């Protein structure tokens, strides 16, 4: 077993061409690897914690989804 932390950063364009936004993803996981004849492969990855930030503030990508369509009677 091995505990890992993954941190990725993306720079995204905004409506203002002079500015960008920075989106960060931080994931803590426990990775189990197996060695086979063709090298090491992930057997399981268990995510224990994850966090997304937009410009340093907590970010929920689900909040960007459009509201569900209203049902017609």
């Amino acid at each position: 077993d091995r505990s890992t932390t993954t941190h990725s950063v993306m720079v995204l364009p905004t409506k203002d061409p002079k500015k960008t936004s920075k989106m960060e993803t931080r994931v803590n996981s426990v990775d189990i690897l197996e060695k086979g004849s063709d090298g090491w492969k992930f057997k399981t990855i268990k995510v224990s914690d994850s966090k997304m930030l937009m410009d340093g503030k907590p970010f929920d990508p689900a909040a960007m989804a459009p509201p569900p369509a209203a049902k017609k009677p």
Side-chain angles (χ1 to χ4, degrees):
D1 294 4
R2 180 161 183 207
S3 178
T4 60
T5 300
T6 304
H7 181 217
S8 61
V9 177
M10 295 188 325
V11 177
L12 305 170
T14 64
K15 291 179 181 179
D16 182 349
K18 296 179 183 179
K19 295 184 180 182
T20 58
S21 285
K22 183 170 117 178
M23 184 167 66
E24 298 178 61
T25 304
R26 298 176 185 169
V27 178
N28 294 320
S29 64
V30 175
D31 305 335
I32 299 174
L33 296 110
E34 284 187 326
K35 187 173 183 180
S37 60
D38 56 345
W40 289 93
K41 293 189 178 185
F42 287 95
K43 181 178 178 183
T44 60
I45 300 173
K46 295 180 183 176
V47 175
S48 60
D49 182 41
S50 65
K51 181 188 289 188
M52 292 185 81
L53 303 170
M54 179 71 78
D55 297 326
K57 298 175 185 170
F59 174 69
D60 179 8
M64 294 183 65
K71 293 183 180 179
K72 295 182 180 180

